């Protein structure tokens, strides 16, 4: 002891059990373990060391409107958006959250009316991300309530629309559909990154949510950020996080700052390198998985997938195909009314359509898991007739 050098690695967590050719393969959650390989290739480059006496105070930036945001994290986030070109950052207020899940709740809180009255309606077109109804309603808030499919609910003049693009679960590119006078929207851009979809514009909506979970694969770091146009809304969101968790882990922010720095450095300092380009790595992996899955589905005769989308990507500077994070797989086989159960009997765990507000003959399957899990899944799907 005493040298201060002995602890450089941590005991690995247990995580999910390994996948073997006849074990259950769980592709229910979008656990982004696909990215392990990239970060192993990066070796120690994204490692940080935090001495025992650092990051102890509650406060990170007492001069700013969001006192718990680490300046170094904010700097790397803004740098990353400028590099990728997926969102405007100038003129936006940035705040950090424990995953974008916390920021989503902070945004609902900030957009709901302060005066007493009916709870604000929260809507999104089906199929919508399955967490939206549960996270909106689990505390039975008097401020807001889930009102279902934005295409079929008449939400009145005031509602909050959740716009997820590319959409979880079906990969669709979306714009707001409600025409409410209040025009309140929350844009969930968890997947608006080049590995998943062509970057077609620098988005400039009122509230835009992002997360390291699906950008770099660091879901366990539990870190998201919001870009917010209006200062009053940004302040209310900050207040929510203050009341909910008194800020956001500094250790996570420092780690995320380092990870985003490595991603940006990869492009800005050694752009000709073949190995350290995160978005290119993930885009290649995803494109390969999608082409193998589409080939299996095409020969199956009983399954179908949404059409392949492609566009000019401002980041890649060429026309590229979208590689959604989930396969939204439909089964046309006679007698299969509950596709999720049908697959579960075949040891493939997926999430069925009803959780996304649609029918049971379609399921969502994660495309972000390990090679082992994906290969076992594909082999099983290929054998179904
Ligand atoms: N939004 C969407 C559309 C997601 O798919 C997810 C993760 N599954 C989240 C938000 C939440 O991400 P986080 O890990 O940042 O809470």
């Amino acid at each position: 002891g005493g040298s201060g050098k002995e602890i450089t690695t941590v005991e690995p967590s247990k995580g999910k059990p390994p996948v073997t050719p006849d074990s259950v393969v769980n592709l229910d959650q979008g656990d982004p373990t696909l990215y392990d390989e990239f970060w192993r290739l990066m070796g120690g480059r994204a490692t940080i060391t935090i001495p025992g006496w650092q990051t102890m105070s509650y406060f990170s930036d007492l001069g700013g409107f969001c006192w718990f945001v680490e300046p170094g994290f904010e700097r790397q986030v803004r740098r990353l958006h400028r590099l990728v070109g997926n969102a405007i950052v100038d003129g936006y207020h940035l705040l950090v959250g424990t995953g974008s899940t916390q920021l989503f709740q902070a945004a609902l809180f900030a957009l709901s009316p302060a005066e007493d009255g009916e709870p604000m309606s929260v809507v999104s077109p089906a199929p919508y991300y399955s967490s939206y109804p549960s996270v909106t309603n689990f505390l039975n808030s008097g401020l807001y309530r889930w009102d279902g499919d934005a295409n079929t609910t008449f939400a009145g003049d005031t509602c909050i629309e959740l716009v997820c693009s590319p959409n979880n679960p079906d990969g669709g590119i979306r714009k707001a559909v409600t025409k409410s006078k209040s025009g309140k929207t929350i844009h969930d851009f968890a997947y608006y990154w080049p590995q998943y979809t062509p970057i077609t514009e620098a988005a400039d909506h009122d509230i835009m949510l992002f997360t390291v979970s699906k950008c770099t694969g660091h879901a366990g770091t539990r870190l998201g950020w919001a870009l917010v146009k209006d200062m009053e809304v940004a302040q209310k969101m900050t207040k929510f996080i203050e009341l909910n968790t008194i800020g956001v882990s500094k250790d996570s922010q420092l780690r995320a700052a380092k990870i985003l720095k490595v991603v940006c450095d990869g492009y800005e300092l050694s752009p000709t390198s073949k190995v350290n380009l995160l978005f290119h790595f993930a885009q290649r992996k995803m494109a390969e998985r999608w082409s193998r899955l589409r080939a299996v589905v095409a020969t199956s005769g009983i399954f179908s997938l949404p059409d392949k989308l492609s566009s000019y990507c401002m980041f890649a500077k060429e026309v590229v195909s979208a590689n959604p994070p989930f396969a939204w797989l439909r089964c046309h086989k006679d007698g299969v009314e509950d596709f999720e159960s049908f697959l579960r009997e075949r040891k493939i765990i997926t999430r069925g359509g009803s959780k996304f507000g649609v029918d049971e003959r379609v399921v969502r399957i994660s495309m972000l898991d390990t090679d082992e899990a994906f290969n076992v899944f594909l082999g099983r799907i290929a054998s179904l007739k």
Side-chain angles (χ1 to χ4, degrees):
S3 73
K5 276 193 165 176
E6 53 281 272
I7 302 170
T8 54
T9 55
V10 291
E11 190 176 323
S13 17
K14 278 206 186 123
K16 289 193 293 193
V19 172
T20 60
D22 25 58
S23 68
V24 167
V25 45
N26 187 341
L27 299 174
D28 173 6
Q29 276 102 19
D31 199 16
T33 44
L34 166 144
Y35 293 88
D36 283 11
E37 186 187 337
F38 178 81
W39 291 104
R40 283 179 195 277
L41 286 170
M42 292 301 99
R45 250 183 279 185
T47 302
I48 59 165
T49 306
I50 305 176
W53 61 87
Q54 278 187 14
T55 68
M56 294 179 67
S57 162
Y58 281 116
F59 306 106
S60 293
D61 179 18
L62 277 176
F65 81 97
C66 181
W67 56 266
F68 50 81
V69 68
E70 278 293 318
F73 174 71
E74 170 159 5
R75 208 164 46 240
Q76 296 303 332
V77 168
R78 290 181 183 273
R79 182 183 173 205
L80 182 69
H81 283 301
R82 289 194 181 100
L83 168 74
V84 173
N86 58 345
I88 302 284
V89 286
D90 292 323
Y92 275 83
H93 309 292
L94 184 146
L95 72 155
V96 63
T98 300
S100 59
T101 300
Q102 185 180 37
L103 290 161
F104 163 63
Q105 294 167 76
L108 291 182
F109 171 78
L111 295 181
S112 296
E115 68 271 14
D116 291 341
E118 279 292 287
M120 190 85 147
S121 250
V122 180
V123 299
S124 189
Y128 41 72
Y129 175 34
S130 49
S131 284
Y132 292 158
S134 47
V135 171
T136 303
N137 279 349
F138 80 112
L139 290 178
N140 201 15
S141 170
L143 293 178
Y144 46 79
R145 97 177 147 236
W146 176 250
D147 230 344
D149 185 353
N151 289 318
T152 57
T153 322
F154 177 71
D157 286 343
T158 53
C159 72
I160 300 169
E161 179 180 352
L162 309 172
V163 185
C164 185
S165 186
N167 189 44
N168 176 353
D170 65 353
I173 299 305
R174 293 186 157 191
K175 299 279 176 213
V177 301
T178 55
K179 303 254 181 329
S180 79
K181 284 184 196 129
S182 66
K184 294 183 181 188
T185 53
I186 300 171
H187 281 77
D188 185 340
F189 283 146
Y191 304 105
Y192 191 38
W193 295 104
Q195 64 269 51
Y196 304 121
T197 190
I199 302 301
T200 55
E201 61 177 8
D204 63 350
H205 305 286
D206 291 347
I207 301 180
M208 302 186 280
L209 306 183
F210 294 90
T211 168
V212 294
S213 303
K214 308 304 167 90
C215 173
T216 68
H218 292 83
T221 301
R222 306 303 310 122
L223 219 62
W225 65 91
L227 296 173
V228 182
K229 220 179 243 176
D230 183 76
M231 181 50 131
E232 218 176 296
V233 172
Q235 281 168 334
K236 280 191 195 159
M237 290 176 69
T238 301
K239 187 72 190 169
F240 176 93
I241 292 173
E242 195 176 309
L243 294 170
N244 189 218
T245 47
I246 326 184
V248 175
S249 167
K250 280 190 185 187
D251 308 79
S252 283
Q253 293 185 62
L254 295 181
R255 177 150 190 246
K258 180 61 176 253
I259 284 157
L260 298 183
K261 179 177 186 300
V262 170
V263 174
C264 293
D265 285 353
Y267 282 95
E268 290 177 358
L269 307 182
S270 50
T272 53
S273 152
K274 289 275 180 287
V275 291
N276 59 4
L277 305 177
L278 173 85
F279 299 116
H280 286 72
F281 166 89
Q283 201 274 343
R284 261 195 321 270
K285 294 280 293 188
M286 298 293 294
E288 192 212 312
R289 288 184 181 186
W290 270 100
S291 83
R292 290 173 59 203
L293 177 62
R294 286 196 187 278
V296 164
V297 165
T299 53
S300 78
I302 56 168
F303 301 128
S304 66
L305 287 164
D307 289 340
K308 185 163 157 178
L309 304 173
S310 46
S311 284
Y312 182 80
C313 174
M314 290 156 49
F315 177 73
K317 298 195 169 56
E318 59 183 344
V319 174
V320 297
S321 295
N323 302 299
F326 297 99
W328 186 234
L329 188 68
R330 185 167 282 282
C331 182
H332 303 273
K333 187 178 160 74
D334 281 340
V336 181
E337 299 304 328
D338 178 350
F339 190 27
E340 181 192 305
S341 300
F342 176 83
L343 290 175
R344 197 182 315 111
E345 284 157 22
R346 286 148 187 88
K347 296 194 197 166
I348 303 168
I349 313 291
T350 63
R351 194 171 296 181
S354 65
K355 297 185 179 86
F356 305 91
V358 299
D359 65 277
E360 295 275 62
R361 300 190 61 147
V362 60
V363 298
R364 190 194 77 170
I365 300 165
S366 172
M367 294 291 282
L368 302 179
D369 219 284
T370 59
D371 286 341
E372 293 74 32
F374 183 75
N375 289 337
V376 170
F377 155 70
L378 206 60
R380 285 189 197 159
I381 286 284
S383 70
L384 298 176
K385 295 272 142 30

